[in-house]
Each structure stands twice: as C-alpha cells, then as structure tokens.
Amino acid sequence: GSLERRRCLYLRTGRACCQMVEVLLAALILVCSSVSCGWAGGYTGLPALGGIYYYQYGGAYSGFSGADGERAQQLDQRFYLLKLPIARAAMAVGGCLLVFPCVLILVGVLQVPWRFPAWLLIECTLYIVIAVGTVPALYYFLHSLLSIYNSSVCKEREQLYQSKGYQGFWCSLHGAEIAAGLLGCMAAMAYLLSAGLAVRDYRTVQEQKQKPLQL
C-alpha cells in the first residue's frame, strides 16, 4: 500500500540517483580491472584460448620458433605475474565500491534515514572518507602499472614481439587501465556529491520531524 509507494519514491530522489550512478561506475571499474588482469596476451595464452581470439592474433604465432618461442612464453608469464597483484587489488576495490552504494540504496528504501537521521551524517562521513581515499588509491594504481611497464621484463617482451612484426605489446597503459583511472575520478566526484546530498537530506528530515512539535 502506501508504505510500498513511499519506499519506491526513494528511488526517485537525487541521492538514490547518485547512488545508482555510483553502482554503474563501480561496475565499470570492476570490468576494466578484470580486463587488465586477464590481458596476459602474448605467445602462450592465445593458442590455448582458441576461437575468435586465437585467430584474431595470427593463430599459433608462426613467427616464433625454438628459443624465441620459449623466451616469449617466459616473458609473458613474468609480465602477467607482475600485473596480477595490482589488477586483483583494483578488482577488490571495485567490488567493494559496487557493494557500498547497493547497501545504501537498500537502507534508503527501508527508510532507515527517516527513523534514524543520524545515519545520514554517518553516510556523509563514509562518502568523504572514500572520496579522499580514492585519490591515493588511483595514484598507487597508475604508479604501479607504470613501474611494471618500465621494467626490463616489459621492455624485452616488447622488443621481442616487435622483432617478429607483432603489434599491440607496447609498454604503456592500455585503454582499460586509462578508463579505470578516469572512472575512479568520476566516482570520487560522485561520492562528494552524495555527501552533500546526505547533509541536505539530514536537514530536511530534521525540519519535517520538528513540524508536528511546532504545531
């Protein structure tokens, strides 16, 4: 009845819309991070995958043979292991950022802020902490990736593939990693906006609760 309608009305508020944008941004960060983690590329991984991905990159890489093929395999594995920790950390952060606004949407639908207005101040504090923490997290993410791309493993791997005429193995940030950084910046701005909306809603709830007493 009316209770269900009031709960659905929350999804039309500015705070709920901002939280749904945060869910979308977190999901995109998670996807981009998983792409970075799964992008082993190279000589060994592609033939085992088969299908379209295999043929798109030239089948079994006939340009490699003997020692070159073994060296390409070793470099691919070492490069993948270098990227794996930072990619997994980014995926974990993206997953947490995905769960957080989902929980807040559920809290809003259940009208917890109306019963306990102080929750909005807690929500505001959490948003500010996450927004501020996003800045060093992004710096660490990009700095770690650049350190990996400047490593001797990546440089040797790039030269080996270029010597056989293969492209796409450059030692630089690729699109998914750049997108993850940009999405992180957008998410930080969305968190600050949500913090401001939480303070506004706290004042609104307090005013509405005081009206019956004034009457």
Side-chain angles (χ1 to χ4, degrees):
S2 60
L3 178 60
E4 294 297 328
R5 288 194 296 269
R6 286 198 299 270
R7 288 178 176 177
C8 292
L9 285 176
Y10 172 76
L11 299 178
R12 300 170 58 184
T13 62
R15 200 165 89 254
C17 292
C18 197
Q19 289 167 351
M20 287 186 280
V21 171
E22 293 163 11
V23 171
L24 176 60
L25 292 174
L28 292 175
I29 291 174
L30 185 60
V31 170
C32 292
S33 301
S34 64
V35 170
S36 178
C37 178
W39 189 75
Y43 178 75
T44 54
L46 296 177
L49 292 177
I52 297 176
Y53 198 55
Y54 170 74
Y55 293 106
Q56 181 180 356
Y57 282 87
Y61 276 62
S62 58
F64 288 103
S65 60
D68 286 341
E70 294 178 0
R71 187 55 181 166
Q73 178 181 4
Q74 295 173 0
L75 291 173
D76 284 340
Q77 292 175 350
R78 292 173 61 186
F79 179 70
Y80 177 72
L81 291 176
L82 285 176
K83 290 186 66 178
L84 188 60
I86 185 63
R88 284 183 173 176
M91 291 174 63
V93 171
C96 293
L97 295 180
L98 179 63
V99 173
F100 179 65
C102 291
V103 172
L104 293 183
I105 291 175
L106 178 62
V107 169
V109 169
L110 296 177
Q111 298 183 340
V112 174
W114 174 257
R115 300 185 182 93
F116 306 101
W119 168 259
L120 291 170
L121 298 181
I122 298 175
E123 183 177 318
C124 174
T125 303
L126 292 175
Y127 270 124
I128 294 175
V129 170
I130 294 175
V132 174
T134 301
V135 177
L138 287 174
Y139 172 79
Y140 175 77
F141 174 71
L142 296 175
H143 178 73
S144 299
L145 287 176
L146 290 175
S147 298
I148 294 171
Y149 288 129
N150 289 327
S151 65
S152 59
V153 174
C154 185
K155 296 296 184 182
E156 184 179 353
R157 178 175 179 268
E158 180 184 30
Q159 292 175 1
L160 179 60
Y161 278 105
Q162 285 184 348
S163 67
K164 301 299 181 180
Y166 296 111
Q167 304 297 323
F169 301 95
W170 299 290
C171 292
S172 59
L173 296 174
H174 61 76
E177 294 163 347
I178 296 174
L182 294 176
L183 290 168
C185 295
M186 296 172 62
M189 292 186 289
Y191 300 147
L192 292 176
L193 177 59
S194 292
L197 293 175
V199 173
R200 184 203 64 179
D201 290 351
Y202 173 77
R203 294 174 179 175
T204 302
V205 171
Q206 289 292 84
E207 291 175 358
Q208 292 180 354
K209 282 182 171 293
Q210 291 175 0
K211 283 182 180 180
L213 297 177
Q214 294 175 355
L215 291 176

